[in-house]
Amino acid sequence: MRLILTLEYDGTPFRGWAAQPGLPTVEAALRQALADIFSSAETLVVAGRTDTGVHALGQVVSVDVEGGPPRERVAAALNSRLPDEVTVLSAVAAPDGFHARHSARSRSYRYRLFTRSTPSPFELRRSWWLSRPLDEDALAAAAAGLVGEHDFRAFTPTQTRHAAFVRVVERAEWIRRGDHLDFEITANSYLRHMVRSLVGTMVEAPASIPELVDGRARSEAGATAPPWGLYLVAVSY
């Protein structure tokens, strides 16, 4: 039986999603929990790999399992074996042909800026603290310029496995929520570090975005924002 698992996790203690020998990762923790409750758990696929320190509110995984508890008890059984920083929100049967990555239509991310004049211990590793004033109108205009089909090679490392750099952004906007200023984006797919590089560039020079999304070099864009402000919010199918 193929299951669809929806997860949320605090990425702080993990070296990203993908399993790496001798390092704590979200995938390794999930694989161990699956092995504990199923006689077989194969073909585990994730909707989007997250980097070290990046969080998820709605990560999606597909996995083929045999044996184990009834489907309605799978989430509770996995949560009893996962570390506190990872929770399975739901476990449902997958439709025929479902693939967590290839079946996805879009993915939505949120990047959180904490803009209070003083830092907060409760925001540590949960957002990027920036106390200096930000031009929110300029940020809004920059985000609006991301919508549509663009070449985002300026927002991924020069040394890359990507062969194509054009992505389609369905939605991009900055939203003020009290002391937080959140950048939210939905796109068909992303380049490595794309969202964090967009945020870093918009914070530094929002007016540069229209030129940069025309396939400029990485060296022309701004710094990459730190990972701990980034959240994978949802995956749409």
Side-chain angles (χ1 to χ4, degrees), residues 83-103:
D84 292 341
E85 294 85 1
V86 184
T87 294
V88 176
L89 299 173
S90 65
V92 300
D96 291 344
F98 181 87
H99 187 283
R101 183 170 70 253
H102 298 323
S103 299

Side-chain angles (χ1 to χ4, degrees), residues 155-210:
F155 302 99
T156 194
T158 303
Q159 299 299 320
T160 178
R161 59 179 175 79
H162 296 292
F165 300 91
V166 173
R167 297 294 187 269
V168 178
V169 174
E170 298 176 12
R171 168 180 170 262
E173 61 181 317
W174 287 91
I175 302 172
R176 167 62 68 178
R177 297 183 172 107
D179 288 329
H180 289 97
L181 183 60
D182 298 340
F183 174 63
E184 298 191 353
I185 183 170
T186 299
N188 61 337
S189 63
Y190 298 83
L191 304 173
R192 185 167 180 246
H193 295 174
M194 176 175 153
V195 178
R196 291 165 53 203
S197 298
L198 283 169
V199 170
T201 301
M202 284 189 281
V203 166
E204 291 179 11
S208 67
I209 291 296

Side-chain angles (χ1 to χ4, degrees), residues 116-138:
R116 197 174 73 180
S117 60
T118 55
S120 168
F122 301 107
E123 292 294 326
L124 186 65
R125 301 292 171 177
R126 299 290 187 279
S127 60
W128 181 18
W129 177 51
L130 287 176
S131 60
R132 68 179 185 270
L134 297 169
D135 186 338
E136 296 187 29
D137 289 337

Side-chain angles (χ1 to χ4, degrees), residues 24-55:
T25 67
V26 183
E27 181 183 9
L30 179 60
R31 285 188 180 277
Q32 182 59 61
L34 288 165
D36 287 345
I37 70 170
F38 291 107
S39 57
S40 173
E42 304 291 341
T43 324
L44 189 151
V45 177
V46 69
R49 292 186 177 186
T50 49
D51 292 332
T52 298
V54 174
H55 316 295

